[in-house]
């Protein structure tokens, strides 16, 4: 397929509003990169700059080492799948999938083979004579993907393709996209605000906020070793708990609780003795124990897991814990939790504390 390199990319609009700041990313051949972040963070703008639908204000875009920063969208050999499907309602599914090849005046026999091959990959063979209105939302999104596949582009671009689907269809179509990627070994850039999509689809994730890249890494790296409070809070469901604590010898002292530190954790926090830091705890990193006593306000049984909501004693400091198994806490009960894994963040910079800095 292709390699892609985004080098110091900025997007500044005519009204002097900057949407993307110094975006840098090297995409390997056949890699599936997911750009994730809240609405307005610049992820879709970045994708549109790659596609050629938005001008690049500063920086360079390289495709297989060739500078395509000023190359028109039609000449970039990329295919984009939109959130809205963008299908022609008066055409059959076959005609929709063949449309770009027909415009290129390719041989009808070649077009037929490509459409049938793409339809087979996506399970659409029996739907080719139907119109888009006769298909479900998931099927229509597959048609949009099929229209891209027949072009055999160097890069596939996905702009929130599952946003219009219900939860069940979203999960099924997500799996289809993952299988499609493995089958085609295609280079893909995928934009979403859904961190579940990011964690399940990506080879690497680019997490963005307010036009800036916050962290680039594998799903496990962003989940297990977030670079800052924003990444820690955005990746993971339910979100990470955060507590203001003071480093005091072998322990962290918070509002209404005291948590012991291991020798390794104490070494990481060297230089922060007596100072306030932010302690992060993922809900799934609580277990029954003695670090924190929680007054329960709500208990949600999810089958294999239970979400327990409450506050530390009577302090109002919120706690969300995700415990294994079926729990039967009631409002007003006292639960005692230990912390299996801790994350430390500098109060001023909000960056992760690693190695005593």
């Amino acid at each position: 397929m292709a390699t892609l390199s985004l080098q110091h990319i900025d997007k500044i609009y005519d009204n002097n509003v900057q949407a993307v700041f110094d975006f840098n990313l090297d995409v390997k051949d056949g890699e599936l990169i997911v750009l994730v972040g809240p609405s307005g963070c610049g992820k879709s703008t970045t994708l549109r700059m790659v596609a050629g639908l938005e001008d690049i204000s500063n920086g360079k875009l390289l495709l297989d080492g060739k500078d395509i920063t000023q190359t028109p969208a039609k000449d970039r050999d990329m295919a984009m799948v939109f959130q809205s499907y963008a299908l022609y309602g008066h055409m059959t599914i076959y005609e929709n999938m063949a449309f770009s090849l027909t415009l290129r005046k390719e041989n009808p026999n070649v077009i037929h083979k490509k459409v049938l091959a793409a339809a087979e990959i996506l399970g659409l063979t029996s739907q080719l004579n139907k119109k888009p209105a006769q298909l479900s939302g998931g099927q229509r999104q597959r048609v949009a993907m099929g229209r891209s596949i027949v072009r055999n582009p160097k890069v596939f671009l996905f702009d929130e393709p599952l946003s219009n689907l219900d939860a069940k269809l979203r999960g099924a179509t997500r799996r289809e996209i993952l299988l499609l990627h493995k089958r085609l070994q295609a280079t893909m850039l995928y934009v979403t605000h859904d961190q579940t999509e990011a964690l399940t689809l990506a080879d690497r994730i680019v997490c963005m906020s307010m036009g800036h890249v916050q962290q680039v890494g594998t799903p496990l790296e962003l989940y297990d070793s977030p670079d800052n409070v924003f990444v820690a809070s955005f990746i993971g469901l339910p979100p990470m708990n955060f507590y203001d604590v003071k480093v005091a010898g072998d322990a962290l002292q918070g509002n209404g609780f005291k948590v012991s530190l291991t020798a390794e954790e104490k070494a990481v926090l060297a230089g922060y003795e007596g100072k306030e830091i932010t302690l992060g705890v993922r809900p799934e990193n609580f277990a029954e124990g003695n670090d924190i006593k929680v007054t329960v306000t709500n208990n949600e049984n999810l089958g294999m897991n239970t979400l327990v909501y409450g506050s530390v004693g009577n302090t109002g400091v919120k706690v969300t814990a995700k415990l294994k198994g079926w729990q039967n806490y009631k409002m007003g009960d006292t639960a005692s939790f230990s912390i299996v894994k801790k994350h430390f963040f500098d109060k001023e910079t909000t960056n992760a504390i690693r190695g005593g800095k």
Side-chain angles (χ1 to χ4, degrees), residues 73-347:
K74 64 183 179 64
D75 299 324
R76 292 194 178 190
D77 200 8
M78 299 181 185
M80 194 157 179
V81 178
F82 295 93
Q83 175 182 341
S84 60
Y85 318 137
L87 302 178
Y88 296 105
H90 65 287
M91 292 182 180
T92 65
I93 302 310
Y94 182 99
E95 290 167 338
N96 267 282
M97 291 174 65
F99 185 66
S100 62
L101 304 182
T102 304
L103 284 182
R104 291 185 193 172
K105 296 183 168 46
E106 284 204 23
N107 184 299
N109 290 330
V110 173
I111 293 175
H112 187 67
K113 287 179 181 178
K114 287 183 176 180
V115 170
L116 288 184
E120 185 177 349
I121 289 172
L122 296 166
L124 292 169
T125 306
S126 62
Q127 313 295 330
L128 290 175
N129 291 323
K130 294 181 180 179
K131 299 285 181 66
Q134 297 173 272
L135 271 56
S136 68
Q139 288 172 322
R140 275 180 270 178
Q141 193 55 276
R142 276 188 274 158
V143 175
M145 289 190 284
R147 190 173 50 192
S148 297
I149 292 170
V150 298
R151 290 178 54 191
N152 192 28
K154 286 191 172 182
V155 180
F156 287 85
L157 307 174
F158 293 86
D159 190 9
E160 306 229 26
L162 309 184
S163 295
N164 288 338
L165 306 181
D166 62 38
K168 185 177 179 180
L169 271 177
R170 212 161 40 236
T173 309
R174 185 172 68 234
R175 290 189 290 274
E176 287 173 0
I177 291 173
L178 194 56
L179 290 171
L180 178 67
H181 175 247
K182 292 184 182 301
R183 183 164 182 173
L184 298 179
Q185 291 294 297
T187 303
M188 295 181 174
L189 259 64
Y190 187 106
V191 161
T192 182
H193 64 274
D194 186 332
Q195 49 108 356
T196 301
E197 285 179 36
L199 289 170
T200 54
L201 285 174
D203 292 320
R204 284 189 298 153
I205 295 172
V206 179
C207 187
M208 297 183 69
S209 173
M210 299 179 68
H212 295 271
V213 173
Q214 299 296 315
Q215 187 172 354
V216 180
T218 65
L220 181 58
E221 286 170 344
L222 269 72
Y223 172 82
D224 214 33
S225 302
D227 279 352
N228 54 46
V229 167
F230 174 81
V231 177
S233 63
F234 193 82
I235 300 295
L237 196 67
M240 184 180 283
N241 299 272
F242 295 101
Y243 306 107
D244 293 333
V245 296
K246 180 179 280 188
V247 180
D250 294 333
L252 299 175
Q253 291 184 338
N255 187 1
F257 65 93
K258 184 176 181 180
V259 179
S260 299
L261 291 171
T262 66
E264 184 180 351
E265 290 167 343
K266 190 177 176 183
V268 169
L269 294 173
Y272 283 88
E273 176 65 34
K275 296 180 180 178
E276 276 204 347
I277 64 167
T278 299
L279 168 66
V281 184
R282 293 206 178 277
E284 52 270 35
N285 289 151
F286 282 112
E288 293 182 336
N290 299 306
D291 286 335
I292 296 180
K293 292 194 180 302
V294 174
T295 302
V296 176
T297 57
N298 195 19
N299 185 75
E300 295 181 354
N301 293 111
L302 304 175
M304 292 184 68
N305 300 294
T306 300
L307 293 179
V308 181
Y309 301 93
S311 60
V312 179
N314 296 313
T315 64
V317 177
K318 302 294 183 185
V319 175
T320 301
K322 186 177 183 179
L323 305 179
K324 292 180 179 178
W326 191 278
Q327 308 292 332
N328 290 305
Y329 291 107
K330 296 178 179 62
M331 181 183 291
D333 284 354
T334 299
S336 295
F337 299 143
S338 63
I339 298 173
V340 178
K341 179 170 182 175
K342 310 176 189 76
H343 297 267
F344 308 123
F345 302 94
D346 187 283
K347 280 274 291 181

